[in-house]
Amino acid sequence: MNGSPASRYVYGEEVNLQSASCPPPNPFLTDDVVNTINHLDNVTIEHGKHELRNVDSSLEMIPLSDNKEENDESIFSYENEDEQHVDIQKRRVPSSNAPFSGDDFHSSGTRLPQSIYQYIYPPNAPRTVQLFRPENIAVPACYLLVGLLQGLSGPFTNVYPLDLNASEAQQATISSLKSLPSTFKLVFGFLSDNFPLAGYRRKSYMLIGWAVTSLSMCLLLVFSDLSMEAVQLNVAHEESVEGGNDTERYLQTIAQQNPVIGAPPSIPFLSFCLLLFGTGFWFADVMGDSIVAEKAKLEPESSRGQLQSTCYACRFFGLMVAAPFSTIIYSTFGPKAVVVLMAGLPASIVPFVYILNETKNVPVASTKEQCSEIWSTVCSRAVWQPMGFVYLYNVLQVGNAAWKQFLKTVLGFTSNQLNSLLIAAYVLLWLGIMAYKKFFISWSWRSVYVSTTLLNGVLSALQILLIKGITFGLSPFLFALGDDCFADFIGGIQFLPTTIMMVHLCPSGSEGASYAMFTTMSNSAYTLSAAFSTLLLGVWDVSKEAMERGELSGMVNLTALTTLIQVSGVLFVGLLPRTKEDLLGLHADSLSGSKIGGFIFLFVTFSSVLYSLVVGVLNIIKPGWAGES
């Protein structure tokens, strides 16, 4: 073992046995970690240059050396070296199955059948990661709420500004303001990692995030009239400037019939409320991701990935349900009903967050130490190589930006049909998540990406047949429905492997900042991909006028090109580890610890964030800079 005869490692720290009376606290040994390790037999968790083991019902932090045999023999042996030896007992915690064991069916007193009870609370998983326990229910509830609010706000922000006669430039501004806070996810995560609030690193900030989200919609309700009558009156008032006597008489009639109608929100006020909404929304979302990143490390090997797949299934289920529901509510009851839901739903999660089990006053490493840990992490080949694949693959997912125009202009799809495609896409996206959770979770990550990429290429190529009118007897709508929606099904299958991988890249204690950094890098690649899609519109004539003339050769060429670009992502799949074991093996690779790799990773990440910020700010301060009117 390392150290002199009078010293030993205790909980990862080397202490003098002649003077020490108790082991120093270790921020890694949270209650969740202790309880999980007590429940699992022969479990080991690597933490830096140490390994935490459960041996004979005792928790032991063992220093690792380069010699495997030495590691196996260094399980805290205490020799009687001299009469001055102070025997420091190992931290012992009873390893009974209650209350932290996941297998408590017989002691629970439940009336549910054992099969159903153990489906809800898997017996092979510790209680800490059983999401539907009362003390953990806030985690899936948070993901479900994220999906519900995304589904509710999407149609609202797409349609309501149009009803207020917003220009294309103003619409771009509103969209940018709503999504702008997502570029600060790294800041939100870093804040919660370093500065606990009321003793908690996650739940306090999650409450603040959802409170801000609810408050933003309450402001919109209180200080403006969201009824459709107010919108109609506002439109008529604008028309009266040029409308003459008929419009003036219409305004007087409306005012007499509805004397209590107020003014709808101005575009700047609506934009401000949506900016506030986005800030609270993304702040709470980062807290949910951070908790999942912490808990996912405690899953047993046999069920690795189930926790994340369950959370994202909740999220996309909420999106799938809320999007069509929002459209129906808006068209039936008006925008006010949608905003009431957007204001009330965040308040519903407060009781769950209050009872969320989070260890209070966990020792927090200094900001300098956390930054150093993150730097060491991104320099590891286990980080910059697979994340390099994620970035390159996402950048290459260049879509055909003229496709919707083709569906509307050439095939004559109505707004209802286009909305049906969107709703069906949400359903297939959720089914893709569930399919991975049920059938593909045991596949290697490379196998998932290779098979789904090639299948997506086939589906994209089928768009050429639709352009040429070859639909094998199906209506164009049904053919497009199968083509577009199954692409989202494939996207759902591809989504989870990378998120599972990202969790295992996060250093302990900095899960908030590191996971936010990884997801920001991944999402920013899609932003760049969308920019490339727009640039490709100028290669061939795919304008609305050309489509109306029946000139579709440009659409065929553009579809073929974007399909080839998308499929080319499979060429980089060699950068992706096959499994978690391969991922861990990259840590010991000769290229691991490369400062060049770490620098490139951070440069690409922060450059992408800067790009998103610049585009968002330009949309705000200079509407129409990208050509909108």
mmCIF file of all heavy atoms in Angstrom, residues 522-541:
data_model
loop_
_atom_site.group_PDB
_atom_site.id
_atom_site.type_symbol
_atom_site.label_atom_id
_atom_site.label_comp_id
_atom_site.label_asym_id
_atom_site.label_seq_id
_atom_site.Cartn_x
_atom_site.Cartn_y
_atom_site.Cartn_z
ATOM 1 N N SER A 522 -23.983 18.858 -28.094
ATOM 2 C CA SER A 522 -24.801 18.045 -28.991
ATOM 3 C C SER A 522 -25.888 18.878 -29.662
ATOM 4 O O SER A 522 -26.085 18.802 -30.884
ATOM 5 C CB SER A 522 -25.430 16.899 -28.196
ATOM 6 O OG SER A 522 -26.327 16.154 -28.991
ATOM 7 N N ASN A 523 -26.598 19.703 -28.887
ATOM 8 C CA ASN A 523 -27.690 20.507 -29.436
ATOM 9 C C ASN A 523 -27.184 21.592 -30.384
ATOM 10 O O ASN A 523 -27.847 21.918 -31.370
ATOM 11 C CB ASN A 523 -28.491 21.143 -28.303
ATOM 12 C CG ASN A 523 -29.225 20.112 -27.462
ATOM 13 O OD1 ASN A 523 -29.487 19.009 -27.916
ATOM 14 N ND2 ASN A 523 -29.538 20.461 -26.228
ATOM 15 N N SER A 524 -26.019 22.162 -30.076
ATOM 16 C CA SER A 524 -25.480 23.217 -30.933
ATOM 17 C C SER A 524 -25.125 22.674 -32.312
ATOM 18 O O SER A 524 -25.159 23.413 -33.304
ATOM 19 C CB SER A 524 -24.254 23.856 -30.284
ATOM 20 O OG SER A 524 -23.207 22.908 -30.134
ATOM 21 N N ALA A 525 -24.801 21.385 -32.381
ATOM 22 C CA ALA A 525 -24.523 20.774 -33.686
ATOM 23 C C ALA A 525 -25.769 20.785 -34.557
ATOM 24 O O ALA A 525 -25.698 20.990 -35.776
ATOM 25 C CB ALA A 525 -24.006 19.356 -33.496
ATOM 26 N N TYR A 526 -26.939 20.568 -33.951
ATOM 27 C CA TYR A 526 -28.194 20.628 -34.711
ATOM 28 C C TYR A 526 -28.467 22.050 -35.204
ATOM 29 O O TYR A 526 -29.014 22.241 -36.295
ATOM 30 C CB TYR A 526 -29.352 20.139 -33.846
ATOM 31 C CG TYR A 526 -29.412 18.644 -33.672
ATOM 32 C CD1 TYR A 526 -29.304 18.056 -32.418
ATOM 33 C CD2 TYR A 526 -29.584 17.800 -34.768
ATOM 34 C CE1 TYR A 526 -29.364 16.674 -32.256
ATOM 35 C CE2 TYR A 526 -29.645 16.423 -34.617
ATOM 36 C CZ TYR A 526 -29.531 15.870 -33.355
ATOM 37 O OH TYR A 526 -29.592 14.502 -33.199
ATOM 38 N N THR A 527 -28.109 23.046 -34.385
ATOM 39 C CA THR A 527 -28.275 24.437 -34.814
ATOM 40 C C THR A 527 -27.442 24.720 -36.057
ATOM 41 O O THR A 527 -27.908 25.364 -37.013
ATOM 42 C CB THR A 527 -27.862 25.396 -33.683
ATOM 43 O OG1 THR A 527 -28.626 25.111 -32.510
ATOM 44 C CG2 THR A 527 -28.079 26.845 -34.090
ATOM 45 N N LEU A 528 -26.213 24.230 -36.053
ATOM 46 C CA LEU A 528 -25.336 24.414 -37.214
ATOM 47 C C LEU A 528 -25.862 23.634 -38.407
ATOM 48 O O LEU A 528 -25.795 24.108 -39.554
ATOM 49 C CB LEU A 528 -23.924 23.944 -36.850
ATOM 50 C CG LEU A 528 -22.775 24.420 -37.748
ATOM 51 C CD1 LEU A 528 -22.724 25.934 -37.815
ATOM 52 C CD2 LEU A 528 -21.454 23.865 -37.230
ATOM 53 N N SER A 529 -26.422 22.469 -38.158
ATOM 54 C CA SER A 529 -27.000 21.664 -39.234
ATOM 55 C C SER A 529 -28.159 22.397 -39.905
ATOM 56 O O SER A 529 -28.295 22.372 -41.134
ATOM 57 C CB SER A 529 -27.475 20.327 -38.665
ATOM 58 O OG SER A 529 -28.183 19.586 -39.626
ATOM 59 N N ALA A 530 -28.986 23.073 -39.098
ATOM 60 C CA ALA A 530 -30.113 23.836 -39.660
ATOM 61 C C ALA A 530 -29.609 24.977 -40.537
ATOM 62 O O ALA A 530 -30.206 25.293 -41.577
ATOM 63 C CB ALA A 530 -30.981 24.374 -38.529
ATOM 64 N N ALA A 531 -28.498 25.606 -40.124
ATOM 65 C CA ALA A 531 -27.906 26.678 -40.935
ATOM 66 C C ALA A 531 -27.426 26.140 -42.280
ATOM 67 O O ALA A 531 -27.610 26.778 -43.330
ATOM 68 C CB ALA A 531 -26.754 27.330 -40.177
ATOM 69 N N PHE A 532 -26.820 24.952 -42.268
ATOM 70 C CA PHE A 532 -26.376 24.331 -43.520
ATOM 71 C C PHE A 532 -27.569 24.007 -44.418
ATOM 72 O O PHE A 532 -27.497 24.142 -45.643
ATOM 73 C CB PHE A 532 -25.586 23.054 -43.230
ATOM 74 C CG PHE A 532 -24.224 23.297 -42.637
ATOM 75 C CD1 PHE A 532 -23.642 22.373 -41.783
ATOM 76 C CD2 PHE A 532 -23.518 24.458 -42.938
ATOM 77 C CE1 PHE A 532 -22.391 22.595 -41.231
ATOM 78 C CE2 PHE A 532 -22.266 24.697 -42.387
ATOM 79 C CZ PHE A 532 -21.702 23.765 -41.541
ATOM 80 N N SER A 533 -28.672 23.562 -43.804
ATOM 81 C CA SER A 533 -29.881 23.253 -44.577
ATOM 82 C C SER A 533 -30.360 24.480 -45.334
ATOM 83 O O SER A 533 -30.757 24.396 -46.509
ATOM 84 C CB SER A 533 -30.990 22.754 -43.642
ATOM 85 O OG SER A 533 -30.611 21.573 -42.989
ATOM 86 N N THR A 534 -30.320 25.632 -44.682
ATOM 87 C CA THR A 534 -30.754 26.875 -45.318
ATOM 88 C C THR A 534 -29.805 27.270 -46.451
ATOM 89 O O THR A 534 -30.245 27.720 -47.525
ATOM 90 C CB THR A 534 -30.816 28.011 -44.279
ATOM 91 O OG1 THR A 534 -31.690 27.618 -43.215
ATOM 92 C CG2 THR A 534 -31.329 29.290 -44.896
ATOM 93 N N LEU A 535 -28.499 27.090 -46.241
ATOM 94 C CA LEU A 535 -27.518 27.429 -47.281
ATOM 95 C C LEU A 535 -27.714 26.598 -48.547
ATOM 96 O O LEU A 535 -27.539 27.088 -49.662
ATOM 97 C CB LEU A 535 -26.100 27.234 -46.747
ATOM 98 C CG LEU A 535 -25.606 28.244 -45.706
ATOM 99 C CD1 LEU A 535 -24.228 27.849 -45.195
ATOM 100 C CD2 LEU A 535 -25.566 29.655 -46.294
ATOM 101 N N LEU A 536 -28.090 25.343 -48.382
ATOM 102 C CA LEU A 536 -28.254 24.450 -49.533
ATOM 103 C C LEU A 536 -29.448 24.835 -50.404
ATOM 104 O O LEU A 536 -29.562 24.360 -51.542
ATOM 105 C CB LEU A 536 -28.408 23.006 -49.063
ATOM 106 C CG LEU A 536 -27.157 22.345 -48.469
ATOM 107 C CD1 LEU A 536 -27.465 20.927 -48.008
ATOM 108 C CD2 LEU A 536 -26.019 22.325 -49.483
ATOM 109 N N LEU A 537 -30.340 25.679 -49.897
ATOM 110 C CA LEU A 537 -31.498 26.092 -50.699
ATOM 111 C C LEU A 537 -31.078 26.860 -51.948
ATOM 112 O O LEU A 537 -31.842 26.934 -52.924
ATOM 113 C CB LEU A 537 -32.442 26.953 -49.853
ATOM 114 C CG LEU A 537 -33.201 26.245 -48.725
ATOM 115 C CD1 LEU A 537 -34.007 27.245 -47.915
ATOM 116 C CD2 LEU A 537 -34.105 25.158 -49.288
ATOM 117 N N GLY A 538 -29.882 27.442 -51.908
ATOM 118 C CA GLY A 538 -29.415 28.214 -53.058
ATOM 119 C C GLY A 538 -28.683 27.412 -54.105
ATOM 120 O O GLY A 538 -28.309 27.949 -55.157
ATOM 121 N N VAL A 539 -28.479 26.120 -53.868
ATOM 122 C CA VAL A 539 -27.738 25.299 -54.834
ATOM 123 C C VAL A 539 -28.577 25.031 -56.079
ATOM 124 O O VAL A 539 -28.096 25.139 -57.213
ATOM 125 C CB VAL A 539 -27.294 23.977 -54.181
ATOM 126 C CG1 VAL A 539 -26.567 23.090 -55.204
ATOM 127 C CG2 VAL A 539 -26.395 24.245 -52.981
ATOM 128 N N TRP A 540 -29.836 24.655 -55.909
ATOM 129 C CA TRP A 540 -30.786 24.450 -57.005
ATOM 130 C C TRP A 540 -32.021 25.305 -56.753
ATOM 131 O O TRP A 540 -32.259 25.765 -55.633
ATOM 132 C CB TRP A 540 -31.201 22.977 -57.087
ATOM 133 C CG TRP A 540 -30.075 22.061 -57.479
ATOM 134 C CD1 TRP A 540 -29.547 21.884 -58.723
ATOM 135 C CD2 TRP A 540 -29.345 21.189 -56.602
ATOM 136 N NE1 TRP A 540 -28.538 20.968 -58.689
ATOM 137 C CE2 TRP A 540 -28.377 20.509 -57.407
ATOM 138 C CE3 TRP A 540 -29.396 20.896 -55.246
ATOM 139 C CZ2 TRP A 540 -27.494 19.583 -56.892
ATOM 140 C CZ3 TRP A 540 -28.514 19.974 -54.732
ATOM 141 C CH2 TRP A 540 -27.581 19.330 -55.532
ATOM 142 N N ASP A 541 -32.784 25.510 -57.807
ATOM 143 C CA ASP A 541 -33.999 26.320 -57.690
ATOM 144 C C ASP A 541 -35.114 25.463 -57.084
ATOM 145 O O ASP A 541 -35.705 24.616 -57.751
ATOM 146 C CB ASP A 541 -34.420 26.842 -59.073
ATOM 147 C CG ASP A 541 -35.578 27.842 -58.971
ATOM 148 O OD1 ASP A 541 -36.019 28.119 -57.831
ATOM 149 O OD2 ASP A 541 -36.028 28.341 -60.019
#
